Amino acid sequence: MARKVDLKRFPGFQSMTYLCLILLYAPLLIVMVYSFNDSRSITSWGGISLRWYEDVFFGLEAEKFRAAAFNSVVIAIIAAITSTTIATMAATGMLRAGKFRGKSFSFALINLPLMVPEIVTAVATLIFFSAIGFNAGYLTILIAHIVFCIPFAYLPIAARMQGIEDIYEQAAQDLYATRFEAFKLILLPLMAPGILSGFLLAFIISLDDFIITNFVKGAGIETLPTAIFGAAKQGIKPNIMAISTLLLLVSVVFVTLSYLIGRMGQNKNGKQI
Amino acid sequence: MIKRMDAAIAVDIDNVTKRYGDFTALRNASIDIRDNEFFTLLGPSGCGKTTLLRCIAGFEDISSGAIRLYGQDIAELPPNKRPVNTVFQQYALFPHMNVLQNVMFGLQRLGKSDSEAKARAGHVLDLVQLTQLAERMPSQLSGGQQQRVALARALAPEPRVLLLDEPLSALDLKLRQAVRLELQQLQKETGITFVFVTHDQEEALTMSNRIAVISEGQLQQIGSAREIYEAPVNKFVADFIGETNLIDVDVKKITDGTATCLLPGGTKFSCPAAKGAHEGPGHLSVRPERVTIGKAKGSLITGTATRHIYLGTDMHIDINLQDGDVITARVQNSETANIPEVGDEVGISFEASAARLLVD
């Protein structure tokens, strides 16, 4: 095997790496550390305490945050289920239906939302909803979330399906399974890790979304990100750091799970046979 | 031997052509595969043999012609409506089902009850000696065991025809030889027509009742192993099946299937001619084991021994002719064997029945 390139020998690579790491993670680290601050200040350290976590759950604003978190989770679950279903069907069409007219165009259509600036989507969705006279509220948030979650769910599902040779479905059909039975009994179970991975990714993308939600939500409805933003506008209190840390934790757990599940299935049912 | 002339036709491949765009994978192939026969499609990779198998299974549509299964035209039927099962080259065992579930799959799709399917699957697993592995997952099995599961799974629904797509190619040599015998045995026991695809001529010769040799989408010859080995119709078949010497000759005359020709060096020689061979420059096929080496005087062709290749029980001796061609003789190793030294002038002889004028 050829010797691997030693990156340390490239001038500037090391300092560049540290700079990137600091810019990316130092702010997060500060938020996490200060969420355990006993002081009211957000800059001076007053010892370790869990009082701001207590404040998040039982304090003055607890009711507001709880309602927002509930909205977020409900919307994320429904959006993730719906977008994962649509993405699975889309992947099946793209990867198992053979060649059809407009295939590359369809591929672009599915993945384009990843490239459109979110603020553009947000404005466009808002204009669209008001143009058709659709009242802003729960349902508008839900529809918007389902739509922008589709490409995120699609990616791991399509990647997984690409790794499954169609010989299994052929074998099933050879053994008297109809096309639908081959899909239901063979392809779907083999795809399960990819689908779960797509679901978790869609869930967390929906849970974390701020820009689009902020545009299309009605006056009375808050999700957790919009609630945090609203509270932060009135001055950053340590309880915001605590709630941000919790949200970060949930995100990290879900993204890690999504990655691990996607990979685990690959090893088990991959091309080794 | 029972004469099988009037045996029922299991698979009637009638003038089948398969095109992919501009590429013709299979050209006007017509083959009758008989009931209860071990039939082999033999050819180098890319010759169209797997395409033909996939056409029978229903994974490929044919461009023209017809495929009939026991008289029924199946060209329009989807794979799941055809009473044939396939053993795939990569086995394609369902990775999320255990051995028993894999074998039961086809039976359940046919609407058999669970207990019925289980009983039948158990019987088939018994047949391939895998009963004790029924609960294992495919990833826990060796290559040979996976191959048996694939076989059991395809046999379980009692197909009228079993299609086997190079099922032995992933096994090592020892195992392959053992499985050959078992497959043959299994075909006899079950009475199911086997259509076997391989590029391995030895496999084809040892297992099949009949063989169809295919090259570049074109059917070359159909016959028993013996017919194909001893009476190849053309240069491709002679060269592909076993080893042979192709000797340049000048054909003077062909009458009643016997050719009279001039060998290199000018000796006149008569031997059988394949149907379709013509006068003028041509090739004789003579198998190395039918070539005898002796004194130059009184022989058919003379040359110089240039190389020995030791093969254990046998020895290959290369003899260079004056015109630069090489003839190989296969001599059995023994104390009395007459093996010329490298550089010796030798004479080559062979019986008229050992030689055959080919179609180029």
Side-chain angles (χ1 to χ4, degrees):
Chain A
M1 223 174 98
R3 246 179 85 93
K4 279 189 186 151
V5 178
D6 186 359
L7 283 178
K8 281 187 204 147
R9 289 168 191 267
F10 287 74
F13 265 49
Q14 208 166 6
S15 35
M16 185 67 89
T17 308
Y18 288 130
L19 185 67
C20 288
L21 285 177
I22 288 168
L23 284 176
L24 275 172
Y25 292 108
L28 286 177
L29 209 64
I30 290 169
V31 166
M32 281 166 66
V33 169
Y34 271 80
S35 71
F36 294 102
N37 192 1
D38 194 30
S39 144
R40 245 189 140 14
S41 158
I42 57 163
T43 46
S44 61
W45 185 250
I48 293 181
S49 132
L50 288 175
R51 62 181 279 211
W52 298 116
Y53 286 91
E54 206 184 311
D55 186 73
V56 165
F57 288 102
F58 306 108
L60 282 174
E61 291 172 305
E63 191 53 45
K64 193 176 85 185
F65 283 133
R66 201 176 301 149
F70 179 77
N71 285 343
S72 274
V73 169
V74 169
I75 288 170
I77 289 175
I78 299 176
I81 290 175
T82 316
S83 60
T84 306
T85 310
I86 295 172
T88 305
M89 294 195 286
T92 309
M94 292 297 293
L95 296 170
R96 286 302 198 260
K99 284 188 193 136
F100 56 88
R101 258 179 64 185
K103 186 169 178 174
S104 22
F105 184 63
S106 312
F107 183 76
L109 275 186
I110 293 170
N111 288 296
L112 201 61
L114 293 175
M115 276 153 265
V116 176
E118 206 184 338
I119 185 74
V120 176
T121 311
V123 172
T125 313
L126 178 64
I127 293 172
F128 174 71
F129 280 144
S130 53
I132 61 168
F134 204 68
N135 281 340
Y138 225 97
L139 207 56
T140 49
I141 301 178
L142 197 56
I143 291 171
H145 277 222
I146 289 170
V147 172
F148 74 68
C149 280
I150 290 173
F152 289 98
Y154 179 81
L155 289 177
I157 293 173
R160 173 80 192 164
M161 198 184 280
Q162 234 149 14
I164 301 171
E165 291 174 85
D166 56 6
I167 189 134
Y168 298 114
E169 291 143 87
Q170 284 184 5
Q173 280 180 269
D174 188 62
L175 292 161
Y176 313 109
T178 61
R179 272 179 178 276
F180 181 68
E181 282 174 323
F183 174 77
K184 191 181 73 176
L185 299 170
I186 305 300
L187 188 59
L188 216 50
L190 292 180
M191 293 250 308
I195 293 174
L196 193 55
S197 172
F199 171 84
L200 293 174
L201 204 59
F203 178 84
I204 213 67
I205 293 289
S206 163
L207 194 73
D208 286 354
D209 180 74
F210 170 71
I211 301 179
I212 293 176
T213 316
N214 199 39
F215 270 72
V216 302
K217 79 184 174 70
I221 296 176
E222 298 287 350
T223 64
L224 200 50
T226 62
I228 293 174
F229 181 70
K233 269 202 298 199
Q234 285 149 32
I236 296 186
K237 283 192 299 165
N239 65 341
I240 293 185
M241 296 192 179
I243 203 164
S244 300
T245 305
L246 288 172
L247 194 54
L248 178 67
L249 186 73
V250 172
S251 282
V252 168
V253 166
F254 271 72
V255 172
T256 310
L257 269 182
S258 163
Y259 170 77
L260 286 180
I261 289 169
R263 209 183 53 164
M264 174 189 76
Q266 210 74 47
N267 286 347
K268 209 164 124 196
N269 298 330
K271 296 194 167 176
Q272 53 165 350
I273 290 175
Chain B
M1 272 297 274
I2 303 161
K3 217 174 166 199
R4 313 193 61 125
M5 288 298 284
D6 52 356
I9 302 300
V11 188
D12 176 9
I13 296 153
D14 186 0
N15 207 17
V16 167
T17 296
K18 171 68 188 172
R19 280 183 224 98
Y20 297 99
D22 289 339
F23 175 69
T24 305
L26 204 63
R27 194 175 298 117
N28 303 99
S30 286
I31 305 173
D32 285 346
I33 298 169
R34 296 169 192 153
D35 185 34
N36 196 10
E37 178 171 47
F38 198 123
F39 193 90
T40 298
L41 301 171
L42 173 67
S45 56
C47 74
K49 56 192 190 303
T50 297
T51 302
L52 180 55
L53 197 78
R54 292 175 60 82
C55 287
I56 302 173
F59 301 129
E60 307 279 353
D61 296 326
I62 53 178
S63 308
S64 67
I67 298 179
R68 282 178 283 268
L69 203 77
Y70 291 94
Q72 185 202 3
D73 193 332
I74 56 168
E76 297 297 316
L77 293 179
N80 54 314
K81 293 274 196 308
R82 300 185 185 201
V84 299
N85 289 138
T86 309
V87 179
F88 292 89
Q89 186 170 9
Q90 315 90 318
Y91 313 140
L93 301 179
F94 306 131
H96 58 302
M97 297 182 188
N98 70 22
V99 169
L100 186 67
Q101 289 166 328
N102 262 283
V103 178
M104 283 169 64
F105 187 87
L107 297 162
Q108 287 167 322
R109 299 287 81 68
L110 286 173
K112 298 263 186 295
S113 71
D114 267 12
S115 57
E116 223 179 323
K118 215 170 218 161
R120 170 72 189 153
H123 173 72
V124 182
L125 283 175
D126 213 27
L127 207 63
V128 297
Q129 296 150 36
L130 278 179
T131 312
Q132 69 285 7
L133 299 181
E135 302 297 320
R136 295 265 188 99
M137 299 304 280
S139 56
Q140 297 169 300
L141 302 176
S142 71
Q145 290 165 337
Q146 289 183 12
Q147 198 265 345
R148 282 153 188 268
V149 178
L151 196 59
R153 186 178 70 173
L155 281 172
E158 295 181 89
R160 303 207 65 175
V161 175
L162 185 73
L163 308 174
L164 302 104
D165 185 8
E166 309 218 15
L168 309 184
S169 59
L171 306 179
D172 57 52
L173 185 66
K174 267 270 157 59
L175 197 55
R176 220 181 306 158
Q177 284 168 343
V179 176
R180 269 184 214 167
L181 291 175
E182 281 176 42
L183 272 182
Q184 246 182 325
Q185 194 61 38
L186 213 53
Q187 195 273 323
K188 285 201 186 103
E189 276 171 36
T190 56
I192 293 171
T193 306
F194 277 30
V195 182
F196 186 87
V197 162
T198 184
H199 64 267
D200 184 329
Q201 42 115 352
E202 197 184 321
E203 227 164 77
L205 293 178
T206 51
M207 295 165 72
S208 328
N209 294 114
R210 288 193 309 149
I211 300 166
V213 184
I214 304 175
S215 165
E216 290 178 351
Q218 195 86 50
L219 183 65
Q220 306 289 326
Q221 186 171 4
I222 303 178
S224 67
R226 192 170 197 135
E227 279 162 4
I228 281 180
Y229 186 77
E230 293 183 3
V233 292
N234 60 27
K235 219 170 127 182
F236 175 82
V237 176
D239 205 25
F240 187 70
I241 312 292
E243 289 172 80
T244 198
N245 293 297
L246 294 171
I247 303 170
D248 290 325
V249 292
D250 185 13
V251 184
K252 289 295 175 200
K253 189 174 74 177
I254 302 176
T255 38
D256 299 333
T258 303
T260 308
C261 52
L262 296 180
L263 296 172
T267 312
K268 208 167 164 191
F269 184 73
S270 290
C271 69
K275 222 167 126 186
H278 51 79
E279 293 171 12
H283 290 96
L284 287 191
S285 162
V286 184
R287 300 283 179 196
E289 68 271 18
R290 306 290 290 267
V291 175
T292 51
I293 300 175
K295 292 215 175 71
K297 213 175 157 190
S299 70
L300 292 173
I301 309 172
T302 55
T304 315
T306 50
R307 196 160 69 137
H308 291 170
I309 303 167
Y310 181 73
L311 296 168
T313 56
D314 297 301
M315 175 93 94
H316 269 186
I317 299 158
D318 285 353
I319 293 130
N320 274 28
L321 309 187
Q322 253 105 47
D323 61 4
D325 279 356
V326 179
I327 291 179
T328 303
R330 189 178 186 120
V331 180
Q332 230 171 43
N333 276 326
S334 71
E335 307 235 329
T336 57
N338 174 24
I339 292 168
E341 294 300 316
V342 170
D344 282 358
E345 284 289 315
V346 295
I348 294 164
S349 304
F350 40 82
E351 300 289 321
S353 62
R356 191 173 167 81
L357 178 67
L358 302 174
V359 178
D360 270 359

Coordinates of all heavy atoms in Angstrom, one line a residue, chain A residues 83-84 86-92 94-95 107-115 148-163 191 193-202 205 258 262 266:
Chain A
S83 N -42.9 12.6 4.9 CA -41.9 12.9 3.9 C -41.1 11.6 3.7 O -40.6 11.3 2.6 CB -40.9 14.0 4.4 OG -40.3 13.7 5.6
T84 N -40.9 10.7 4.7 CA -40.2 9.5 4.5 C -41.0 8.5 3.6 O -40.4 7.9 2.7 CB -40.0 8.8 5.9 OG1 -39.3 9.7 6.7 CG2 -39.1 7.5 5.7
I86 N -43.1 9.5 1.2 CA -43.0 10.1 -0.1 C -41.6 9.8 -0.7 O -41.5 9.4 -1.8 CB -43.3 11.6 -0.1 CG1 -44.8 11.8 0.3 CG2 -43.0 12.2 -1.5 CD1 -45.1 13.3 0.5
A87 N -40.6 10.0 0.2 CA -39.2 9.8 -0.3 C -39.0 8.3 -0.7 O -38.3 8.0 -1.7 CB -38.2 10.2 0.8
T88 N -39.6 7.4 0.1 CA -39.4 5.9 -0.3 C -40.1 5.6 -1.6 O -39.5 4.9 -2.4 CB -40.1 5.1 0.8 OG1 -39.5 5.4 2.1 CG2 -39.8 3.6 0.6
M89 N -41.2 6.2 -1.8 CA -41.9 6.0 -3.1 C -41.1 6.6 -4.2 O -40.9 6.0 -5.3 CB -43.3 6.6 -3.1 CG -44.2 5.8 -2.1 SD -46.0 6.2 -2.3 CE -46.1 7.8 -1.7
A90 N -40.5 7.8 -4.0 CA -39.7 8.5 -5.0 C -38.5 7.7 -5.3 O -38.2 7.5 -6.5 CB -39.3 9.9 -4.5
A91 N -37.8 7.1 -4.3 CA -36.6 6.3 -4.5 C -36.9 5.1 -5.3 O -36.2 4.7 -6.2 CB -36.0 6.0 -3.2
T92 N -38.1 4.5 -5.0 CA -38.5 3.2 -5.7 C -38.7 3.6 -7.2 O -38.2 2.8 -8.0 CB -39.8 2.7 -5.1 OG1 -39.6 2.5 -3.7 CG2 -40.1 1.3 -5.7
M94 N -37.4 6.1 -8.8 CA -36.2 6.5 -9.5 C -35.2 5.4 -9.7 O -34.5 5.3 -10.7 CB -35.4 7.6 -8.6 CG -36.1 8.9 -8.5 SD -36.3 9.7 -10.1 CE -34.6 10.1 -10.5
L95 N -35.2 4.4 -8.8 CA -34.1 3.4 -8.9 C -34.7 2.0 -9.3 O -33.9 1.1 -9.7 CB -33.5 3.2 -7.5 CG -32.7 4.5 -7.0 CD1 -32.3 4.3 -5.6 CD2 -31.5 4.7 -7.9
F107 N -34.9 13.7 -10.9 CA -33.9 13.6 -9.9 C -33.5 15.0 -9.4 O -33.4 15.3 -8.2 CB -32.6 12.9 -10.5 CG -31.5 12.8 -9.5 CD1 -31.6 11.8 -8.5 CD2 -30.4 13.6 -9.5 CE1 -30.6 11.7 -7.6 CE2 -29.4 13.5 -8.6 CZ -29.5 12.5 -7.6
A108 N -33.4 15.9 -10.4 CA -33.1 17.3 -10.1 C -34.3 17.9 -9.2 O -34.0 18.6 -8.2 CB -32.9 18.1 -11.3
L109 N -35.5 17.6 -9.6 CA -36.7 18.2 -8.9 C -36.7 17.7 -7.4 O -37.0 18.5 -6.5 CB -38.0 17.7 -9.5 CG -38.5 18.5 -10.7 CD1 -39.8 18.0 -11.1 CD2 -38.5 20.0 -10.3
I110 N -36.3 16.4 -7.2 CA -36.3 15.9 -5.8 C -35.3 16.6 -5.0 O -35.5 16.9 -3.8 CB -36.1 14.4 -5.8 CG1 -37.3 13.7 -6.5 CG2 -36.0 13.9 -4.4 CD1 -37.1 12.2 -6.7
N111 N -34.1 16.8 -5.6 CA -33.0 17.3 -4.8 C -32.7 18.8 -4.8 O -32.0 19.3 -4.0 CB -31.7 16.6 -5.2 CG -31.7 15.1 -4.8 OD1 -31.7 14.9 -3.6 ND2 -31.8 14.2 -5.7
L112 N -33.5 19.5 -5.7 CA -33.3 20.9 -5.8 C -33.5 21.7 -4.5 O -32.7 22.6 -4.2 CB -34.2 21.5 -6.9 CG -33.7 22.8 -7.5 CD1 -32.3 22.7 -8.1 CD2 -34.7 23.3 -8.5
P113 N -34.5 21.3 -3.7 CA -34.7 22.0 -2.5 C -33.5 22.1 -1.6 O -33.4 23.1 -0.8 CB -35.8 21.2 -1.8 CG -36.6 20.6 -2.9 CD -35.5 20.3 -3.9
L114 N -32.6 21.2 -1.7 CA -31.3 21.3 -0.9 C -30.5 22.5 -1.3 O -29.7 22.9 -0.5 CB -30.5 20.0 -1.1 CG -31.1 18.7 -0.6 CD1 -30.3 17.5 -0.9 CD2 -31.3 18.8 0.9
M115 N -30.7 22.9 -2.6 CA -29.8 24.0 -3.1 C -30.4 25.3 -3.1 O -29.8 26.3 -3.1 CB -29.3 23.6 -4.5 CG -28.1 22.7 -4.5 SD -28.1 21.7 -6.0 CE -28.9 20.2 -5.4
F148 N -40.0 20.3 2.7 CA -38.5 20.5 2.7 C -37.8 19.3 3.3 O -36.6 19.2 3.2 CB -38.0 21.8 3.2 CG -38.1 22.0 4.7 CD1 -37.3 21.3 5.6 CD2 -39.0 22.9 5.3 CE1 -37.4 21.5 6.9 CE2 -39.1 23.1 6.6 CZ -38.3 22.4 7.5
C149 N -38.5 18.4 4.0 CA -37.9 17.2 4.6 C -37.7 16.1 3.5 O -36.9 15.2 3.7 CB -38.7 16.7 5.7 SG -38.5 17.5 7.2
I150 N -38.5 16.2 2.4 CA -38.4 15.1 1.4 C -37.0 14.8 0.9 O -36.5 13.7 1.0 CB -39.4 15.3 0.3 CG1 -40.8 15.2 0.8 CG2 -39.1 14.3 -0.9 CD1 -41.9 15.6 -0.2
P151 N -36.2 15.8 0.5 CA -34.9 15.5 0.0 C -34.0 14.9 1.1 O -33.1 14.1 0.8 CB -34.4 16.8 -0.6 CG -35.2 17.9 0.0 CD -36.6 17.2 0.2
F152 N -34.2 15.4 2.3 CA -33.3 14.9 3.4 C -33.6 13.4 3.6 O -32.7 12.6 3.9 CB -33.5 15.7 4.6 CG -32.9 17.1 4.5 CD1 -33.7 18.2 4.2 CD2 -31.5 17.3 4.7 CE1 -33.1 19.4 4.1 CE2 -30.9 18.5 4.5 CZ -31.8 19.6 4.2
A153 N -34.9 13.1 3.6 CA -35.2 11.7 3.8 C -34.8 10.8 2.6 O -34.4 9.7 2.7 CB -36.8 11.5 4.0
Y154 N -34.9 11.5 1.4 CA -34.6 10.7 0.2 C -33.1 10.3 0.1 O -32.9 9.1 -0.3 CB -34.9 11.7 -1.0 CG -34.6 11.1 -2.4 CD1 -35.5 10.2 -3.0 CD2 -33.4 11.3 -3.0 CE1 -35.2 9.6 -4.2 CE2 -33.1 10.8 -4.3 CZ -34.0 9.9 -4.9 OH -33.8 9.4 -6.1
L155 N -32.2 11.1 0.6 CA -30.8 10.8 0.4 C -30.4 9.4 1.0 O -29.9 8.6 0.3 CB -29.9 11.9 0.9 CG -29.9 13.2 0.1 CD1 -29.1 14.3 0.7 CD2 -29.5 12.9 -1.3
P156 N -30.6 9.2 2.3 CA -30.2 7.9 2.9 C -31.0 6.8 2.3 O -30.5 5.7 2.1 CB -30.4 8.0 4.4 CG -31.3 9.2 4.5 CD -31.1 10.1 3.4
I157 N -32.3 7.0 1.9 CA -33.1 5.9 1.4 C -32.6 5.5 0.0 O -32.4 4.3 -0.3 CB -34.6 6.3 1.3 CG1 -35.1 6.5 2.8 CG2 -35.4 5.3 0.6 CD1 -36.5 7.1 2.8
A158 N -32.3 6.5 -0.8 CA -31.8 6.2 -2.2 C -30.4 5.5 -2.1 O -30.2 4.6 -2.8 CB -31.8 7.5 -3.0
A159 N -29.6 6.0 -1.2 CA -28.3 5.5 -1.1 C -28.4 4.0 -0.7 O -27.7 3.1 -1.2 CB -27.5 6.2 0.0
R160 N -29.3 3.7 0.2 CA -29.5 2.3 0.7 C -30.0 1.5 -0.5 O -29.5 0.4 -0.7 CB -30.5 2.3 1.8 CG -30.9 1.0 2.3 CD -29.9 0.4 3.2 NE -30.2 -1.0 3.4 CZ -29.3 -1.9 3.8 NH1 -28.1 -1.5 4.1 NH2 -29.7 -3.1 4.0
M161 N -31.0 2.0 -1.2 CA -31.6 1.2 -2.3 C -30.6 0.9 -3.4 O -30.6 -0.1 -4.0 CB -32.8 1.9 -2.8 CG -33.7 1.0 -3.6 SD -35.1 1.8 -4.3 CE -36.2 2.0 -3.0
Q162 N -29.7 1.9 -3.6 CA -28.7 1.7 -4.7 C -27.8 0.5 -4.3 O -27.3 -0.1 -5.2 CB -27.9 3.0 -4.8 CG -27.8 3.5 -6.2 CD -27.6 5.0 -6.2 OE1 -27.3 5.6 -5.2 NE2 -27.9 5.6 -7.4
G163 N -27.6 0.3 -3.0 CA -26.7 -0.7 -2.5 C -27.3 -2.1 -2.6 O -26.7 -3.1 -2.4
M191 N -34.5 -2.5 2.9 CA -34.3 -1.1 2.9 C -34.5 -0.5 4.3 O -34.2 0.7 4.5 CB -35.4 -0.4 2.0 CG -35.2 -0.8 0.6 SD -34.7 0.7 -0.2 CE -36.0 1.8 0.4
P193 N -33.2 -0.2 7.3 CA -32.3 0.7 7.9 C -32.2 2.1 7.2 O -32.1 3.1 7.9 CB -30.9 0.0 7.8 CG -31.3 -1.5 7.6 CD -32.6 -1.4 6.8
G194 N -32.2 2.1 5.9 CA -32.2 3.3 5.1 C -33.4 4.2 5.4 O -33.3 5.4 5.5
I195 N -34.5 3.5 5.5 CA -35.8 4.3 5.7 C -35.8 4.9 7.1 O -36.1 6.0 7.3 CB -37.0 3.3 5.5 CG1 -37.1 2.9 4.1 CG2 -38.3 4.0 6.0 CD1 -38.2 1.9 3.8
L196 N -35.3 4.1 8.1 CA -35.2 4.6 9.5 C -34.3 5.8 9.6 O -34.5 6.8 10.2 CB -34.8 3.5 10.4 CG -35.0 3.7 11.9 CD1 -36.4 4.1 12.2 CD2 -34.6 2.5 12.7
S197 N -33.1 5.6 8.9 CA -32.1 6.6 8.8 C -32.7 7.9 8.2 O -32.5 9.0 8.7 CB -30.9 6.1 8.0 OG -30.0 7.1 7.8
G198 N -33.5 7.8 7.1 CA -34.1 8.9 6.5 C -35.1 9.6 7.4 O -35.2 10.8 7.5
F199 N -35.9 8.7 8.1 CA -36.9 9.2 9.0 C -36.3 10.1 10.1 O -36.7 11.2 10.4 CB -37.7 8.1 9.6 CG -38.6 8.5 10.7 CD1 -39.9 8.9 10.4 CD2 -38.2 8.4 12.1 CE1 -40.7 9.3 11.5 CE2 -39.1 8.8 13.1 CZ -40.3 9.2 12.8
L200 N -35.2 9.6 10.7 CA -34.5 10.3 11.8 C -34.0 11.6 11.3 O -34.1 12.7 12.0 CB -33.4 9.5 12.4 CG -33.9 8.2 13.2 CD1 -32.7 7.4 13.6 CD2 -34.8 8.6 14.4
L201 N -33.4 11.6 10.1 CA -32.8 12.8 9.6 C -33.9 13.8 9.3 O -33.8 15.0 9.7 CB -32.1 12.5 8.3 CG -31.0 13.4 7.8 CD1 -29.9 13.5 8.9 CD2 -30.3 13.0 6.5
A202 N -35.0 13.4 8.7 CA -36.1 14.3 8.4 C -36.7 14.8 9.7 O -37.0 16.0 9.8 CB -37.2 13.5 7.7
I205 N -34.4 17.5 11.0 CA -34.4 18.7 10.2 C -35.6 19.5 10.5 O -35.6 20.7 10.6 CB -34.3 18.3 8.7 CG1 -33.0 17.7 8.3 CG2 -34.6 19.5 7.8 CD1 -31.9 18.6 8.3
S258 N -29.2 8.1 13.2 CA -29.4 8.0 11.8 C -28.2 7.4 11.1 O -28.3 6.5 10.2 CB -29.8 9.3 11.3 OG -29.7 9.4 9.9
G262 N -28.0 3.5 9.5 CA -27.7 3.4 8.0 C -26.5 2.6 7.8 O -26.5 1.7 6.9
Q266 N -26.0 -1.6 6.3 CA -25.1 -1.8 5.2 C -24.1 -2.9 5.4 O -24.0 -3.8 4.5 CB -24.2 -0.5 5.0 CG -23.8 -0.2 3.5 CD -25.0 0.3 2.7 OE1 -25.7 1.2 3.2 NE2 -25.3 -0.3 1.6

